[in-house]
Amino acid sequence: MNRDILIWGAGAIGGTVGAYLCRAGLDVTFVDIDAQHVAAIRDRKKGLSISGPIDNFTVHADSFLPEELRGQWNRIFLCVKAHHTQQACEELLPYLAPDGFVVSLQNGLCERTIAEIAGRERTIGAFINFGADWIEAGAIMYGNRAAVVVGELKGEDTMRLRQLLADLKLFEPRAEATSNIWAFLWGKLAYGSLLFAQALGQDGIADCLERPELLPLWRKMVAEVLAVAEAEGVAPSGFNGFMPDAFAPAKGTVEASKKSVEKMAAFNRPNAKTHSGIWRDLAVRKRKTEVDAFIGQVVAIGKIHQIQCPVLENLVEMIHEIENGRRIQSNANLTELWRKNAN
Ligand SMILES: NC(=O)C1=CN([C@@H]2O[C@H](COP(=O)(O)OP(=O)(O)OC[C@H]3O[C@@H](n4cnc5c(N)ncnc54)[C@H](OP(=O)(O)O)[C@@H]3O)[C@@H](O)[C@H]2O)C=CC1
Ligand SMILES: CC(C)(CO)C(=O)C(=O)O
């Protein structure tokens, strides 16, 4: 008989959501490539611990390296970083029931890749904005609640979507379903451009957003993402203080974008996760970020539509320089990014 939920990538996001669903009594199995993390989760004496201001608890669950897996699952929650999507998706296919689905709990447009590999009808989209950090094997810090939205790729209202939403509400009671998941995914791409810029410096998200001299940079950068989204026929949705229209050249004003920045900063300021996952990849985990699969993808889609995104292109370059040790994370990087693009 098939098992129910397979969390593929048991890090900050997969670990948090999986732990909640496991605690609620659902049939949850974890897969990860980190052998120590996998061993901790299945160790009866250790387990998977969620800590932080929201909740503190430990669950014990079946946990495997990909090569140890046997069987099939009805629902696979894909929770790896965006640049690992293709590989993970190819690996997970043998374990997905023929009538099952993959839901992407990721940033970026990973649903496109998943749909190509697993099939459009076996893919569900999700937008997540809550904050969590992987601390060490078996330990995750759940830092703040935020928007969680799920949707079928073509917007239908299906029984499997309703069931998924009901289950995700065990984690985030305010989770919603949408008939336009692409609007949320593009909204996150636009907001995410601010997070990638934050990762260039030392400040946390709230302090960085509130640097008054950077407002014109935020306006220009978000406007680039919005132009590409528009060319794709998507009007991005807002969430947690981010109001896309405030940054749209035709609709927004300086005042409106300032208000949105204040709201985003107010949303982020109390959060235990002070810095973005991108910042943490560079500063703490010392590893490559999702920049190519995230900002780079917006630039590439822009090119298809003959839309230039000079700020985003510079942002990608600067993140690469930090990844390659040719630049250090410094608040001055953001001033430089603005100086290069002020005209
Ligand atoms: N953390 C957050 O607060 C938020 C994250 N997101 C998005 O969620 C997604 C997941 O991020 P996050 O949970 O932070 O990332 P993590 O790095 O914490 O977790 C991903 C886990 O997947 C593992 N992994 C990598 N490749 C594979 C593979 N092929 N098969 C199985 N496991 C694999 C990683 O191992 P290893 O570390 O060894 O590579 C890691 O343990 C990203 O797209 C991110 O942008 C969105 C909103 C908030
Ligand atoms: C900052 C956060 C949690 C979104 O609010 C995020 O998406 C990230 O860390 O990459």
Side-chain angles (χ1 to χ4, degrees):
M1 201 172 85
N2 291 345
R3 295 196 59 184
D4 188 8
I5 296 173
L6 183 59
I7 303 279
W8 200 286
I13 294 299
T16 304
V17 173
Y20 269 81
L21 302 194
C22 193
R23 184 177 68 168
L26 272 61
D27 172 25
V28 178
T29 308
F30 294 92
V31 182
D32 203 281
I33 54 170
D34 182 324
Q36 286 184 328
H37 189 48
V38 165
I41 295 172
R42 67 184 176 203
D43 182 346
R44 288 272 131 201
K45 294 202 202 84
K46 192 161 177 17
L48 175 59
S49 297
I50 301 297
S51 65
I54 319 284
D55 240 328
N56 288 274
F57 64 94
T58 300
V59 296
H60 302 272
D62 289 344
S63 173
F64 301 99
L65 291 165
E67 60 270 25
E68 297 171 333
L69 269 184
R70 300 286 179 273
Q72 285 201 321
W73 279 259
N74 294 327
R75 305 185 284 181
I76 301 187
F77 292 18
L78 186 54
C79 309
V80 300
K81 294 275 186 181
H83 51 294
H84 296 140
T85 302
Q86 172 149 358
Q87 188 186 338
C89 203
E90 282 163 2
E91 288 166 357
L92 67 77
L93 268 193
Y95 309 102
L96 178 63
D99 56 351
F101 65 82
V102 179
V103 57
S104 160
L105 298 184
Q106 299 170 284
N107 280 332
L109 298 176
C110 300
E111 286 79 356
R112 289 181 173 199
T113 309
I114 299 167
E116 270 171 31
I117 297 170
R120 184 170 258 275
E121 68 295 343
R122 294 208 293 172
T123 308
I124 291 189
F127 153 71
I128 48 170
N129 202 43
F130 66 91
D133 286 332
W134 182 90
I135 305 298
E136 61 180 31
I140 287 164
M141 194 279 295
Y142 175 27
N144 64 281
R145 294 175 60 189
V148 173
V149 183
V150 285
E152 293 280 0
L153 300 190
K154 288 186 178 160
E156 321 90 287
D157 177 11
T158 58
M159 283 311 294
R160 66 181 193 175
L161 184 66
R162 288 182 183 207
Q163 184 61 56
L164 176 64
L165 176 62
D167 291 342
L168 283 174
K169 279 179 183 281
L170 298 168
F171 160 61
E172 172 47 64
R174 289 198 291 257
E176 297 166 42
T178 177
S179 59
N180 191 356
I181 193 66
W182 300 105
F184 284 96
L185 295 175
W186 277 94
K188 185 67 187 270
L189 287 171
Y191 174 63
S193 68
L194 305 175
L195 299 179
F196 273 90
Q198 177 267 322
L200 294 174
Q202 299 115 306
D203 284 346
I205 300 170
D207 286 341
C208 179
L209 287 172
E210 281 197 323
R211 283 174 61 184
E213 76 280 15
L214 295 179
L215 184 64
L217 174 65
W218 304 151
R219 287 172 57 75
K220 209 161 184 172
M221 208 165 57
V222 171
E224 287 185 0
V225 183
L226 297 182
V228 179
E230 189 181 357
E232 287 279 294
V234 181
S237 292
F239 50 85
N240 302 139
F242 178 56
M243 301 185 284
D245 283 355
F247 297 84
K251 297 186 207 157
T253 59
V254 173
E255 257 329 289
S257 56
K258 193 161 172 266
K259 192 160 275 170
S260 178
V261 167
E262 283 165 8
K263 286 190 170 180
M264 288 186 275
F267 176 82
N268 279 285
R269 190 162 297 288
N271 294 345
K273 182 174 169 67
T274 53
H275 291 67
S276 64
I278 307 118
W279 182 91
R280 197 174 155 80
D281 280 339
L282 296 170
V284 180
R285 313 269 334 249
K286 307 285 181 202
R287 62 186 188 180
K288 288 200 184 302
T289 69
E290 297 173 299
V291 72
D292 294 321
F294 195 104
I295 306 294
Q297 192 172 23
V298 177
V299 172
I301 297 172
K303 289 208 164 103
I304 296 169
H305 296 287
Q306 271 97 45
I307 295 171
Q308 298 306 314
C309 299
V311 189
L312 297 179
E313 284 195 49
N314 284 159
L315 177 58
V316 172
E317 270 165 35
M318 290 169 89
I319 293 282
H320 281 160
E321 285 166 9
I322 297 173
E323 289 174 342
N324 298 331
R326 286 183 283 117
R327 180 186 285 276
I328 55 163
Q329 283 171 293
S330 144
N331 287 347
N333 288 331
L334 287 109
T335 327
E336 181 185 329
L337 180 60
W338 175 236
R339 245 192 293 110
K340 279 182 180 160
N341 290 283
N343 297 317

